Amino acid sequence: MKTGWYKDAVFYQIYPRSFCDSNGDGVGDIRGIISKLDYLKDLGVNAVWLSPVYKTPNDDNGYDISDYRDINPEFGTLDDWKEMIAGMHERGIKLVMDLVVNHTSDEHAWFQESKKSKDNPYRDYYIWRKGRGKDGKRPPNNWSSRFVGPAWDYDETTGEWYLHLFSKKQPDLNWDNPKVRQEVIDICNYWFELGVDGFRCDVITYISKVAGLPNGKWNPVMCGDEHFVLGPNIHEYLNQVNQNAWSKYDTMIVGEAIGCKYVDAPSIIAESRNELDSAITFELMEVDMWMNFFPLKLNLPKFKAVQRGWQNLPKECWNTLYYENHDQPRSITRYGNGYGIYRKELGKMLAVSYFMLRGTPYVYEGQEIGMTNIALKQEEYVDIMATRIFTIIGKVAPFLMPIAHWAMSKRARDHARTPMQWEDKTGAGFTTGKPWMKINRNLGEINVKNDLANPNSILNFYKKLIAFRKGNEVIRDGEFIEYFEKHRKIYCYERNLNGHRYIVICNFAEKNVSLNVDKIPNAQDAELIIHNWEGQQQKLGVSIRLRPYEAVVYEIK
Ligand code: NOJ
């Protein structure tokens, strides 16, 4: 059934809460998305990844689902959703939904049943264990939640603990139970029947835990990883869902592959394995981040080495290319001088640097206009990750608070979740009410309306790049060859299909950099086809001088 349509797709990720609010309650919604479908079509994207819109108590903004078959009333109704998907399909846009099945919400009916008694039919849908110690009041093992603190919570009713690798309101499902796997298959088929084109599978690399749940090597934030990242039965489980749901329709299944390095990737994404079609890697995000939230200085040679590893995977593996999503800070602030004088050049350079690689590129809402991180006071952070970090550090090591503040000002997930800046007016054209989260003060300069009107805007540059990629076989299938691998400021690579070549050179520094390009074969025949600086452009001769954040693409035929 599969055509591999995603290999020619450019994705746009919508975080519905922050995208567009149609009814003035301050929260983005499905009718808001419907009102922006022409915008997406005009941008040129042909697929959307929609973060969760299912029923949820919102402990983790929808990544805690209490009903997999219904829509969060804050976002609208199933009828609104049907209108939305029809509108997307009319415009040639595929819809990929988030599938969060490593865990549910603790308010899901399965968990409500499961906690009632040890012999409840739903007990084994989750992972329950006795505690350690004489009175069983210590958690069953030392694993930590990815939101900091122990990964277990005690439940009085039955005197046992349940596992939650995220918040205590997100109990982990027990995938070793065949009934759970059948539920997942049924959920997928339910949405496929309604027309969904695929799923982005949340933390799918965590679903299989080592039997006996042994203690992990000590680590304050990520303890236990070695016992559940790509765990013992993951291939069997993915294969089963693939056979009974994912491969029965023309879908794309991309897994959030937390903890999966490029060396492991073929085991879950190679076509012949019949598991996932592609993986959203964290490896690139970890180059300048320690323990999930602590910022490190970008080391470009390391960053390039990780990209290279993924680019050089066997041909039957397909990449997911991204710099931003709802969990990551804004790339323009992360990889460069954010809201500086070269913001536009920087935003465009970053776009070029990953759009020319092999794989499917994703653009996260607001990235196409160069939205930046936001300055927040402690009480203005709303995401569970930042607020828990502040609470826990405040309790156990208050002297570390300044460091926690600094880390969150760079890495909190809140930066990606500020409302979309559509226009320069109160509410940013996002809402007519009080926004659920603070809007960035720079909306006067950074907004869609401005960018649409300016031919040299980041938005119009994205449009050109997206159009350029469409149907471009060199970008889709060409070989990847890298130059200046060790260079600390320049990212330079070639894509080559049967002698049709693109040479991509990106300056990641905010200063001029001169480069001797005599290593690049036939550079003197190259014709400049894409550039991000206005004004006079240069030929690619023996050497080239790149301006701050300059990006150039040359073609050789
Ligand atoms: C990954 C999601 O992207 C993130 O937002 C969420 O908090 C965790 N998985 C838990 O579902």
Side-chain angles (χ1 to χ4, degrees), residues 60 63 103 147 166 200 202-203 256 326-327 413 417:
D60 186 14
Y63 283 90
H103 45 266
F147 290 151
F166 291 87
R200 172 268 187 191
D202 190 68
V203 287
E256 189 197 23
H326 64 291
D327 293 333
R413 308 194 302 181
R417 300 175 182 192

Side-chain angles (χ1 to χ4, degrees), residues 13 15 49 51-52 60-64 98 100-103 146-147 165-167 170 200-204 206 256 258 282 325-327 383-385 413 417:
Q13 186 195 347
Y15 191 68
W49 156 21
S51 280
D60 186 14
N61 282 355
Y63 283 90
D64 48 322
D98 228 298
V100 188
V101 286
N102 171 68
H103 45 266
R146 262 82 274 256
F147 290 151
L165 291 175
F166 291 87
S167 91
Q170 293 167 298
R200 172 268 187 191
C201 306
D202 190 68
V203 287
I204 200 70
Y206 282 8
E256 189 197 23
I258 184 162
F282 268 63
N325 62 37
H326 64 291
D327 293 333
D383 177 43
I384 184 168
M385 170 91 118
R413 308 194 302 181
R417 300 175 182 192

